[in-house]
Amino acid sequence: MLRLLLNIYIHGHFTGVCCLWYSHMYEINEDPQILPNISLGFHILNSYYTARMTFKAILNLLSTQHRFVPNFKCHSQNNAIALIGDSFDLSKHIYFQLTYGSFLPPQGAKKQMPFLYQMVPNEAQQYLGVLRLLQHFRWMWIGLVAVHDDRGNRFLQTMVPMLSQHGICYEFILRFPKLAYMDEMIDMAWKDRKRFEIAFESKANVFFVYGEPPSFQILRILLLVAPILGLPPLGKVWILTSHWDFESVPLQRNWDTQTFHGSLSLSAHSNQPFRFLMFVQKVRPSWAKGDGFIQDFWEHAFNCLLSMADLTQDKDSCLGDEKLETIPGILFEMNMTGHSYNVYNAVYAVAHALNAVYESSLKHRTWVGRERLAIQNVQPWQLHHFLSSIWFNNTAGDTVHFNENGELVAEFDVTNWLMFPNGSIARVKVGSLDPQAPAGQEHTRILLFLSASLQALPLSVCSNNCYPGYSRKKKEREPFCCYDCTACPKGMISDRKDMATCIKCPEQQYPNNEQTQCLPRIPSFLSYGETLGIILTTLALSFSFITALVFGLFLKHKDTPIVKANNRSITYILLISLLLCFLCPLLFIGKPGEVTCPLRQIIFSTIFSVSLSSILAKTITVLLAFMATAPGSRMRKRMGKGLATSIAFCSSLVQAAICTVWVSTTPPFPDVDTHSLDGKIILECNEGSNAMFYCVLGYLSSLAIASFIVAFLARKLPDSFNEAKFITFSMLGFCSVWFTFFPSYLSTKGKYVVAVEIFSILSSSAGLLGCIFGPKCYIIVLRPEMNSREHLIRRKK
């Protein structure tokens, strides 16, 4: 059975991955289903994350082994069939077929490099996942840390606008240089320490880091020297991209890692291949004599020497049977991590592609001398067709295949890192990010559960929350995440935390005292069922009853002098109008309606004008009566019962005309007032036209003033039953009531406006009834001897 050696070039930073590669090759070369009679080998070349070392590594690959002669090959055993690299940044310098590091390809990258395959999903999906993570925990004030290279620039150009669009601000941006050598890192950390102090003084409790393993080592150096510089402990929550790996060099073996306890990362999905853990537990340095990979790793990992000739006073001799599980997790993890799993799948993808070439060659029976298969002459570019359509299940049970963009169809794992004081590390998967999910559901499973390290979640905001009842007020010259909290203006509310502006309640609702919610308004109107309504109704009915008794008393004594004096018919009209005046308030009590609103003001004003017109007619009659007694006066001829009636009718007719115009143009109508009283919907009658309303009241006032003036002039005329004196007092009380009505009417709100008007109607009407008819009733009931013709004759003599 012929064994062929086909080299797979592995490009990356070697830190103890020898066990991984031996495991891959051991599985593939021992599997009879994949590339029978063909052995796969590999080269690991260190790029140190620099373009210069990448070029050197590639030239070394293209030269004869151990002889640096580019483009010349003096043997056929080192046939490099595939290139596996760590990132797109390095694939710009030399073409890789597969990359196991995540990156964000620029526009048109697929057209420029159609044979490039990415072993992780597109990096942009991570950004969406981190964004959802920040929104889930309400971390709105963060620090950004990025490696200082083209990849870091693209990250910031993409992430900063995305954060701003979703209401998240950054306090600072810290750039880490891309260094590979420990002495450079230490020198940089010491010289540029002032530049990094911003991270230690930051109010942000969450740092979003975009970096690579060298960045982590630089960060650890900064944390080591921080106490020396007097900087406070850096207790933050770290959110990391998939490039990040808590990988340390042996020098950092005993350095504290508790700062990173509870970190969250979106790492490439990983699984444990079949028998991998068993393989790692059994690996020994004696397995690979001559190549030096395992021996070199063993000496660095256990800080010992395998060769007796190299023993020094500082290091002991290696026994060779040390256990890898005793190494701190910061140096070596027993489980296969995300990057390693990506390399594992990349190697298997190449192996399956080569196997497809092998099977294709068998079908076509392409043999060379019956000893060597034509597969030995396969060129790297010929794998493209097979890689693009590759589809297989690995030994961990995961399906491996690429999408149309050459990206591995897989998920990201949301991982919670637990750092223990003894240096061990535990990765807890707390969620997943599925880029292949339907639109809008990519992140529905981003957080399935949380580990104990994140039970007490920190706040990471520039300003404290503005609680309901308050709104944000942006601070000048600061990001929009920084704000003050101001109480909502009167009549407005905020019912959630951190509202940008307060809002008004609907018309049918009002704010509570805390201005945190809207409550339904209570309808408010003067009803018959409440105390005030009952009192006013009782007063109206009582005065109406008294007026009816007075009217009945006058009818009973209609032929007595006191009733016949001063025009008996006008007296009856006055009593009837006063009776109706006392009943008018019943229209003002109760819920305003389409009928009651126009009627209440019109009936009130018309009836009151009749009462005042009757009083004016009575006073004019008294005054004219004495003027008519003068010798040769023409007034006697014009006087008669018809004059008083005409005065009362004409004066009332003017008010009726005003009311007709009012009803015809802008009649009163039912309305609601939601602004005057908190918590109330005032059901009221809108006057329609305030001008017409005041015009009606003004006319009533002019009648009252005219009656008062005439009565005042006739108050001292000799007469046994002279009403002018009583009318003067009644008009004085009437005018006093209605002059105080206006300021009271304008200063009260709601149902009390109606109550003030009712009180003015009742009190003014009661004043007229009492002042004009009270003395007459006294004589009729209690002094009947004064209500006789003989008494009048006796007084005249």
Side-chain angles (χ1 to χ4, degrees), residues 361-614:
S361 65
L362 285 180
K363 290 180 181 179
H364 293 85
R365 298 186 177 184
T366 304
W367 293 83
V368 179
R370 297 180 55 90
E371 293 183 355
R372 294 182 182 268
L373 292 171
I375 190 175
Q376 190 175 5
N377 298 319
V378 171
Q379 298 301 315
W381 59 266
Q382 292 178 298
L383 291 181
H384 169 63
H385 170 73
F386 297 95
L387 279 174
S388 61
S389 59
I390 201 74
W391 191 300
F392 65 92
N393 290 330
N394 61 21
T395 60
D398 291 333
T399 301
V400 179
H401 67 100
F402 300 97
N403 61 19
E404 64 278 5
N405 296 320
E407 300 164 356
L408 186 71
V409 178
E411 295 182 347
F412 286 107
D413 293 337
V414 182
T415 304
N416 187 202
W417 295 75
L418 306 181
M419 305 290 184
F420 299 100
N422 63 356
S424 60
I425 296 177
R427 302 169 182 244
V428 180
K429 181 180 177 181
V430 296
S432 62
L433 172 66
D434 186 5
Q436 286 74 43
Q441 303 179 17
E442 296 91 342
H443 314 292
T444 53
R445 295 184 291 125
I446 187 101
L447 287 173
L448 303 180
F449 61 91
L450 293 177
S451 65
S453 65
L454 284 179
Q455 285 182 352
L457 291 172
L459 290 175
S460 190
V461 293
C462 179
S463 302
N464 291 328
N465 297 117
C466 290
Y467 290 95
Y470 294 83
S471 64
R472 295 179 176 181
K473 181 180 179 182
K474 186 181 180 303
K475 292 183 178 180
E476 293 294 332
R477 298 181 180 180
E478 293 196 28
F480 62 87
C481 294
C482 302
Y483 48 82
D484 294 320
C485 296
T486 58
C488 288
K490 185 177 180 181
M492 303 183 76
I493 69 157
S494 63
D495 54 358
R496 301 186 306 276
K497 288 196 302 183
D498 296 330
M499 288 187 64
T501 57
C502 299
I503 58 174
K504 285 187 177 181
C505 290
E507 289 291 329
Q508 305 300 321
Q509 298 179 352
Y510 73 101
N512 61 352
N513 293 333
E514 295 78 17
Q515 293 180 275
T516 57
Q517 60 178 325
C518 294
L519 303 176
R521 292 181 181 272
I522 301 173
S524 175
F525 60 92
L526 186 61
S527 66
Y528 289 102
E530 60 181 299
T531 303
L532 183 59
I534 293 173
I535 292 174
L536 294 176
T537 302
T538 303
L539 289 175
L541 294 176
S542 299
F543 283 122
S544 301
F545 179 71
I546 293 171
T547 306
L549 289 178
V550 172
F551 185 55
L553 185 65
F554 270 57
L555 288 176
K556 183 178 180 181
H557 299 86
K558 62 181 179 178
D559 296 324
T560 61
I562 199 169
V563 176
K564 294 171 66 177
N566 296 334
N567 199 327
R568 181 171 52 187
S569 59
I570 293 296
T571 300
Y572 290 162
I573 293 174
L574 177 59
L575 282 173
I576 294 173
S577 63
L578 286 176
L579 175 63
L580 295 177
C581 283
F582 285 124
L583 294 176
C584 273
L586 299 180
L587 289 173
F588 289 81
I589 302 174
K591 186 176 181 180
E594 295 287 346
V595 177
T596 57
C597 280
L599 285 179
R600 61 169 60 172
Q601 296 293 359
I602 294 171
I603 291 177
F604 150 71
S605 58
T606 303
I607 293 174
F608 247 79
S609 65
V610 171
S611 300
L612 294 175
S613 299
S614 300

Side-chain angles (χ1 to χ4, degrees), residues 30 187 312 500:
E30 294 296 321
D187 185 61
T312 65

Side-chain angles (χ1 to χ4, degrees), residues 105-113:
Q107 292 289 341
K110 189 60 180 176
K111 293 182 179 179
Q112 297 174 13
M113 291 166 288

Side-chain angles (χ1 to χ4, degrees), residues 204-222:
N205 289 318
V206 175
F207 289 175
F208 181 21
V209 182
Y210 182 95
E212 295 173 336
S215 303
F216 173 62
Q217 294 174 11
I218 295 173
L219 188 57
R220 294 196 67 191
I221 293 172
L222 289 172

Side-chain angles (χ1 to χ4, degrees), residues 255-307:
W255 292 10
D256 184 31
T257 58
Q258 291 298 293
T259 300
F260 304 99
H261 181 69
S263 299
L264 294 170
S265 70
L266 271 77
S267 54
H269 172 70
S270 62
N271 210 336
Q272 298 307 308
F274 181 61
R275 293 186 298 185
F276 174 73
L277 181 60
M278 184 185 304
F279 176 87
V280 174
Q281 289 174 338
K282 292 182 178 180
V283 69
R284 293 294 181 270
S286 58
W287 282 18
K289 294 180 180 180
D291 61 23
F293 273 131
I294 290 184
Q295 288 90 340
D296 187 52
F297 163 72
W298 208 269
E299 290 181 345
H300 282 86
F302 293 102
N303 195 26
C304 62
L305 294 174
L306 289 169
S307 174

